[in-house]
Each structure stands twice: as C-alpha cells, then as structure tokens.
Amino acid sequence: MSKQKYPLTWKKKDFSIKIFCSIPNIATGILIRANKAHFVVDPGDGILRDLNKEMGTKKLLSISDVFITHGHHDHVGGVWALLTYLRVMHKKTPLSIYYPEGCVEIESIYNAFMKVYSNSLTYKITLKKIKNDKSLRSKNVTIKPFPVIHKELLSDGITTRQVPAIGYKFTYNKMKICYGGDTAYCKDLVKNAKKSDLAIIEAGHGDDDHEDDMHMSMSEAKAIGETAKQYFMVHVPE
Ligand SMILES: [Zn+2]
Ligand SMILES: [Zn+2]
C-alpha cells in the first residue's frame, strides 16, 4: 500500500475526527469533536503543534478528555507537552485522562508532572483508570472501552509480552467511531468495528506474510474495516 496521506478526516454533522498522524514507532495524534466538545486520543509526539495549528489556543484550552490506548511512546509521547502547555496558558476547566489499568507510562508521566507543577497548576487533572469494558459518558458522548491484544518485544528480541491495551468506541447522536489502537486481530475489535460509521484499524504489520501476532496485516485490517460503513487503515509502516 502506498504511504498514508495525513491528516485523515471524517465528519458527519457536528461529529468529526482528525487523525494528524499515525506512524508506528514515531507518533500518533487524534482529535475528536462532538459539537463543542474536544477530545484527544493517543497524543504522541507533535500533538501540541498539530492541535495548535488546527484549533488555536482558546479551543485547545477547552479539551476535556484525553484517551490513551496504551503506553507505547508513539501514543503518549506528547502528553507532557500538552499538560504543560495547558498550564502555561492557564487552562481553568478540568481534564480527564483515561488509560488502561497497568499502563505505568501514564501514571509515571502524571506523577512526575504533579511533582514539578502541582503548586502552580490552574486546572484539575483526573486520571481515570479503565479496568473493564463498562461504558463511560462525557459531554454527551458515550465511550465504550474494549480490550485488544497488543504485544511488545522484550530486550532479547524474541520473547513478547502483552501490554495493557484497549480500543475505544465513541458514540454521539447515534453515530459511531471505533478506534482499535494497536492490536493484533481480535474478536472485540471485530465486534466493535462492525456497523460503525467509521472504523480506524491499524495495519502495523504492513505485508501479509507474517507469523507474529503483534500487529495486523493489511488483509486482516481490511476485512475488519469492510464491516464498518467507512474505514481508515492506519499505523502502516513508512
Ligand atoms: Zn503504535
Ligand atoms: Zn504499540
């Protein structure tokens, strides 16, 4: 497949998503708008630059929720910059950060951030650890987390281990966006992508002749994507 052209955008009435970037091992960055609500999903490196260009400072300060699928650097690398910028610009409204239970990266970034800035913070940050697939609500959007299968290589370069990883389905005015994050082929993604208005499916493995279960191949991603009304294939290696 040829190189993805970012940003990728999808819009239906006042519900939209913009994927600024999704390159494995480099960065991800996603903005969701539902009427006046602004959510950020997987703020990888460069997210602050992209958000600032897209919405300007005033709207950036209105971001209410951040959704993290897992702790790999290409999905959380921009969190520190985002939190710090919101402080420097005197954000007043609260911010919630959702992340899968066991994601030590987010807890560590938050703890370090609070250690440095808690005395001068103008807004409240709430960490929301996701332990199950119970639906959440924020700003008239229903958010359903679901478990996915995502692994990483250990230092021996052979052994893999499962990392805490989830996908999210966002429903607003009966319109549904399903984002699986990084995942191998898994039944929960299949179930949640089906009949979504938009499914965002990773094809991080790129080619189709592979043995491992760390990422999906093009044909697996395509098969899932085609069960939705529309789909984007993302996280394709460059
Ligand atoms: Zn990734
Ligand atoms: Zn990953």
Side-chain angles (χ1 to χ4, degrees):
M1 192 170 135
S2 59
K3 255 189 191 176
Q4 298 283 99
K5 285 261 187 297
Y6 292 102
L8 297 169
T9 53
W10 175 94
K11 190 176 190 314
K12 211 171 184 183
K13 294 178 197 155
D14 56 351
F15 192 35
S16 70
I17 187 163
K18 190 157 190 169
I19 304 168
F20 299 109
C21 178
S22 176
I23 305 165
N25 293 319
I26 303 293
T28 300
I30 300 171
L31 172 68
I32 291 179
R33 291 181 171 103
N35 193 4
K36 290 193 174 77
H38 295 100
F39 297 166
V40 172
V41 186
D42 281 353
D45 182 39
I47 190 71
L48 185 55
R49 175 202 60 203
D50 291 337
L51 289 173
N52 190 47
K53 193 174 163 196
E54 174 71 18
M55 61 206 300
T57 307
K58 205 175 157 225
K59 283 191 177 147
L60 228 159
L61 294 180
S62 78
I63 290 168
S64 56
D65 303 85
V66 173
F67 296 88
I68 307 289
T69 59
H70 66 292
H72 283 160
H73 79 274
D74 50 336
H75 299 254
V76 303
V79 172
W80 184 277
L82 183 60
L83 297 182
T84 310
Y85 183 79
L86 295 175
R87 171 189 161 271
V88 169
M89 293 299 164
H90 300 118
K91 176 176 171 64
K92 294 280 191 297
T93 51
L95 183 80
S96 294
I97 304 174
Y98 305 81
Y99 66 103
E101 181 174 33
C103 177
V104 289
E105 291 90 341
I106 284 299
E107 290 175 348
S108 304
I109 293 167
Y110 170 81
N111 289 337
F113 184 81
M114 291 311 279
K115 193 172 169 190
V116 181
Y117 295 120
S118 62
N119 289 334
S120 57
L121 202 53
T122 59
Y123 66 102
K124 186 174 166 39
I125 304 172
T126 308
L127 285 192
K128 302 214 172 178
K129 190 189 294 184
I130 293 180
K131 299 175 181 175
N132 52 45
D133 61 359
K134 238 169 82 185
S135 289
L136 320 153
R137 281 286 280 178
S138 181
K139 312 270 178 195
N140 292 324
V141 181
T142 301
I143 305 105
K144 176 154 179 73
F146 57 91
V148 297
I149 301 167
H150 186 39
K151 298 186 179 179
E152 65 184 7
L153 273 178
L154 297 184
S155 54
D156 64 5
I158 305 160
T159 323
T160 59
R161 68 163 181 152
Q162 165 79 23
V163 297
I166 52 180
Y168 296 98
K169 182 143 92 175
F170 301 88
T171 305
Y172 173 71
N173 276 349
K174 294 184 181 158
M175 296 174 282
K176 295 176 171 51
I177 297 174
C178 173
Y179 171 53
D182 287 3
T183 178
Y185 192 92
C186 70
K187 66 172 187 351
D188 286 282
L189 178 63
V190 170
K191 197 171 86 189
N192 283 287
K194 197 174 175 181
K195 293 187 180 152
S196 286
D197 293 273
L198 178 71
I200 300 152
I201 312 289
E202 75 113 302
H205 201 277
D207 59 50
D208 281 337
D209 57 339
H210 69 99
E211 299 286 309
D212 68 65
D213 55 355
M214 290 175 70
H215 288 284
M216 266 187 284
S217 66
M218 289 284 178
S219 53
E220 285 172 330
K222 203 161 170 259
I224 298 178
E226 282 172 353
T227 68
K229 291 178 195 158
Q230 201 183 327
Y231 72 100
F232 290 143
M233 237 189 308
V234 299
H235 235 47
V236 179
E238 295 215 306

